[in-house]
Amino acid sequence: SGYVSRQPGVELAVLCRWLEHKDVKHLLKPAKYLDLILYSKEQIAKEAAAMKPLTSSAENESDEPIPKDETEYGAAAAYSIISIKAQDVDYELPMNPITVMRNSMISEGGSGVE
């Protein structure tokens, strides 16, 4: 467990839990279904404009390139996948508590964009 930010230096860090692969690998199995969460081009553009891009990759824990404009966030497509949830049921499951919390702190989406 630990506090993790989806975008270090930009978003609020929240308590996350995880398990070590070595401790659960005997329990893993392929998911029966994938629930795809999509955002529209307009929502992605709003979020991209609202996010404060980090200026240094030293602040980015993953050392992944940091998108600087909406085209790098996939805003050129009508819709983009923002999350893929693996599950074993063929209906939509409730949101995770952390998603509910993030969404309750703002008007739309989970990054603070209205």
Side-chain angles (χ1 to χ4, degrees), residues 1 11 14 18 31 34 41 43 51-52 67 88 91 93 110:
S1 294
E11 291 184 325
V14 296
W18 57 85
L34 296 177
K41 173 173 67 172
Q43 184 63 29
M51 301 301 276
K52 298 175 189 167
D88 288 334
Y91 52 87
L93 294 172

Side-chain angles (χ1 to χ4, degrees), residues 38-110:
L38 307 175
Y39 272 12
S40 69
K41 173 173 67 172
E42 294 77 18
Q43 184 63 29
I44 292 171
K46 285 181 190 177
E47 297 214 13
M51 301 301 276
K52 298 175 189 167
L54 301 175
T55 56
S56 156
S57 65
E59 296 171 353
N60 182 4
E61 293 174 4
S62 68
D63 280 334
E64 291 293 317
I66 300 166
K68 299 292 183 192
D69 63 39
E70 66 185 42
T71 59
E72 291 188 63
Y73 282 98
Y79 287 88
S80 293
I81 298 171
I82 58 115
S83 179
I84 301 173
K85 298 187 316 182
Q87 57 190 52
D88 288 334
V89 295
D90 65 350
Y91 52 87
E92 187 175 359
L93 294 172
M95 284 189 277
N96 289 324
I98 189 59
T99 304
V100 174
M101 184 196 83
R102 279 191 172 118
N103 287 349
S104 71
M105 293 177 14
I106 46 95
S107 300
E108 285 182 44

Side-chain angles (χ1 to χ4, degrees), residues 8-56:
V10 178
E11 291 184 325
L12 175 68
V14 296
L15 182 61
C16 295
R17 294 179 288 175
W18 57 85
L19 303 169
E20 294 287 331
H21 180 263
K22 65 180 176 56
D23 297 331
V24 295
K25 67 181 176 183
H26 64 284
L27 300 172
L28 300 178
K29 62 180 184 173
K32 292 180 182 176
Y33 301 93
L34 296 177
D35 185 12
L36 304 178
I37 311 300
L38 307 175
Y39 272 12
S40 69
K41 173 173 67 172
E42 294 77 18
Q43 184 63 29
I44 292 171
K46 285 181 190 177
E47 297 214 13
M51 301 301 276
K52 298 175 189 167
L54 301 175
T55 56
S56 156

